């Protein structure tokens, strides 16, 4: 059963999408919301910069700007999908995605029809957050995008 904060966060996300002025981006936002919820099994959360973020397995990667593992933001002229892992060395994973531009951690698309949604789903499923402890109990978080989970974890 969902707790009160999850319900409140989801309501804020739905209100944000409903109020979005661009109908096409709003509809695609609903599609991405459904996809991300299916993959993460977590409730979405609305962030002040307009990103709808998702934690992985109930945990979020904390850094200065974001506290989610991946998320998306509908924009007037398209969609931004953010993966907290570095996309720079992942050309083989991104190769079948379709028409997009990117920077280190964001994928910019005009419409969902420009990309292969199945490939996007695989990219999201291949983003991992590893947690561990090093010497003297120092916590270590490794957030990565990989094409081979077994090789990456060893």
């Amino acid at each position: 059963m969902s707790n009160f904060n999850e319900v409140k966060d989801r309501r804020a996300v739905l209100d944000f999408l409903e109020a979005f002025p661009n109908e096409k981006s709003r509809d695609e936002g609903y599609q991405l919301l459904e996809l991300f919820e299916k993959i993460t099994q977590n409730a979405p959360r609305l962030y002040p910069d307009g990103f709808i973020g998702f934690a992985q397995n109930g945990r979020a990667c904390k850094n200065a700007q974001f506290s989610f593992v991946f998320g998306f933001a509908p924009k007037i002229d398209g969609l931004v999908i953010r993966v907290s892992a570095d996309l720079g060395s992942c050309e083989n994973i991104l190769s079948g995605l379709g028409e997009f531009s990117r920077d280190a951690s964001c994928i910019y698309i005009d419409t969902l029809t420009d990309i292969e949604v199945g490939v996007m789903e695989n990219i999201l499923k291949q983003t991992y957050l590893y947690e561990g402890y090093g010497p003297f109990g120092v916590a270590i978080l490794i957030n990565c995008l990989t094409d081979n989970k077994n090789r990456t974890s060893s």
Side-chain angles (χ1 to χ4, degrees):
M1 177 175 227
S2 298
N3 69 35
F4 177 73
N5 287 336
E6 288 176 350
V7 172
K8 186 175 74 171
D9 289 342
R10 190 169 201 302
R11 184 74 254 157
V13 168
L14 293 175
D15 290 345
F16 171 75
L17 287 174
E18 191 58 39
F20 203 77
N22 184 327
E23 184 178 346
K24 185 176 186 181
S25 292
R26 180 174 55 237
D27 293 343
E28 291 181 343
Y30 283 122
Q31 291 175 30
L32 284 176
L33 178 65
E34 186 179 319
L35 174 67
F36 279 51
E37 283 180 321
K38 181 178 91 173
I39 292 169
T40 64
Q41 301 291 307
N42 285 310
R45 192 161 176 214
L46 183 62
Y47 290 82
D49 56 1
F51 267 91
I52 298 169
F54 294 82
Q56 180 184 40
N57 300 324
R59 297 184 177 103
C61 179
K62 305 261 186 225
N63 65 37
Q65 293 179 329
F66 301 97
S67 61
F68 53 86
V69 176
F70 41 76
F72 69 93
K75 302 292 183 187
I76 297 294
D77 58 347
L79 296 162
V80 180
I81 299 170
R82 184 175 189 283
V83 180
S84 56
D86 183 13
L87 296 171
S89 61
C90 300
E91 291 300 325
N92 57 335
I93 296 173
L94 296 170
S95 63
L97 186 57
E99 189 177 323
F100 68 95
S101 60
R102 68 168 176 82
D103 60 20
S105 62
C106 291
I107 297 170
Y108 304 95
I109 59 174
D110 291 332
T111 69
L112 280 179
T113 57
D114 290 343
I115 63 167
E116 294 292 330
V117 177
V119 174
M120 175 55 65
E121 186 172 348
N122 286 336
I123 290 170
L124 298 176
K125 287 179 180 177
Q126 293 176 33
T127 302
Y128 296 98
L129 178 64
Y130 294 100
E131 298 179 20
Y133 290 94
F136 307 106
V138 175
I140 299 171
L141 290 175
I142 300 171
N143 195 18
C144 62
L145 179 66
T146 180
D147 61 349
N148 187 328
K149 180 181 178 182
N150 294 331
R151 180 183 65 223
T152 304
S153 62
S154 51

